Amino acid sequence: MIEKTTELHELECALEAVLFAAGDSVSEGKLCAVLQTDKATLRNAAQNLGDYYDFNRRGIKLLRLDDRYQLASRADYAQMVRNTLETRKPQNLTPAALEVLAIIAYKQPVTKTYIEQVRGVDSAYTLSSLVDKGLVADCGRLDVPGRPILYQTTETFLRAFGLSSVSQLPALESFGEQDPQQMTLNELEERQDDGPETAEDTGKES
């Protein structure tokens, strides 16, 4: 038991070192290959490391982004990080951008036509803005005449809103009799101020 505990601790330290040096997110497959371990053990080590950061309220936290991991500074200290790096706080997304983002997040992959049918207004500019910010990206084309582009959320979206995967978004059914679209916008508005600060995000407009 002692030997197993020591091995897991060593793996946690190695994982911490690799993610710190990487600066960006690293896939589970890559980490398993580098650290010479299996996914189950890696996930156990990552969970322990993340719990340690959270329990001790450390300045950094471990993010899980689908099947990738990344170290980031804790949102509580985001302003200090920005002040130190002399960068300004990213702008909040507009209501229109949040609306389009909510539609994509819940219904992805979707086409621009679908988004405009839901909103009832032209969404080309807003969609283009979200693509430029890296929050959404094209993921192929729909197999129908004209082959329109399909859009989905990205890893940057998960980081920006403090999510590990889109499955963590509240279920639409949970909104009850309240307007689900408006509730979704409120949820994203709250999260965009609470998301973690990463080296990649610092100084970017959003």
Side-chain angles (χ1 to χ4, degrees):
M1 180 64 71
I2 294 178
E3 183 179 350
K4 282 191 175 182
T5 302
T6 301
E7 289 178 358
L8 184 59
H9 176 70
E10 287 297 319
L11 180 59
E12 292 167 16
C13 292
L15 175 61
E16 181 179 46
V18 169
L19 292 179
F20 176 81
D24 204 348
S25 63
V26 183
S27 69
E28 281 188 338
K30 179 68 172 179
L31 290 170
C32 286
V34 170
L35 302 176
Q36 299 182 336
T37 189
D38 57 83
K39 285 189 177 181
T41 306
L42 175 69
R43 290 174 182 175
N44 189 17
Q47 183 66 53
N48 289 348
L49 189 59
D51 289 346
Y52 168 77
Y53 291 146
D54 292 340
F55 181 79
N56 291 283
R57 299 296 300 169
R58 303 295 299 178
I60 58 176
K61 65 183 300 181
L62 181 63
L63 303 180
R64 182 173 180 181
L65 309 165
D66 285 332
D67 65 341
R68 305 177 72 86
Y69 293 93
Q70 181 175 9
L71 287 181
S73 58
R74 195 170 295 278
D76 306 44
Y77 312 111
Q79 190 57 55
M80 298 177 190
V81 172
R82 294 188 187 106
N83 291 343
T84 301
L85 300 177
E86 297 182 349
T87 57
R88 57 197 178 98
K89 181 180 180 180
Q91 298 174 355
N92 286 340
L93 295 174
T94 64
L98 285 170
E99 190 172 66
V100 172
L101 198 53
I103 293 170
I104 297 174
Y106 276 92
K107 300 297 184 180
Q108 60 187 313
V110 297
T111 64
K112 180 172 76 71
T113 299
Y114 176 83
I115 295 169
E116 291 174 341
Q117 287 176 343
V118 173
R119 299 186 68 222
V121 295
D122 181 85
S123 302
Y125 175 81
T126 304
L127 182 57
S128 176
S129 175
L130 291 172
V131 171
D132 289 342
K133 290 175 170 61
L135 293 170
V136 302
D138 70 79
C139 58
R141 292 180 178 272
L142 189 62
D143 190 17
V144 297
R147 295 182 57 79
I149 297 174
L150 290 166
Y151 295 92
Q152 66 181 14
T153 55
T154 65
E155 184 180 301
T156 300
F157 166 79
L158 296 178
R159 278 200 301 268
F161 292 95
L163 301 168
S164 294
S165 73
V166 291
S167 64
Q168 291 186 324
L169 285 170
L172 291 178
E173 293 80 2
S174 68
F175 296 130
E177 296 181 356
Q178 302 179 72
D179 179 6
Q181 188 176 57
Q182 185 58 49
M183 290 297 291
T184 302
L185 294 181
N186 292 341
E187 173 78 12
L188 292 182
E189 285 175 340
E190 290 175 3
R191 283 182 173 274
Q192 72 173 329
D193 287 328
D194 296 332
E197 182 89 4
T198 68
E200 182 176 331
D201 296 329
T202 302
K204 280 190 176 182
E205 296 295 326
S206 60

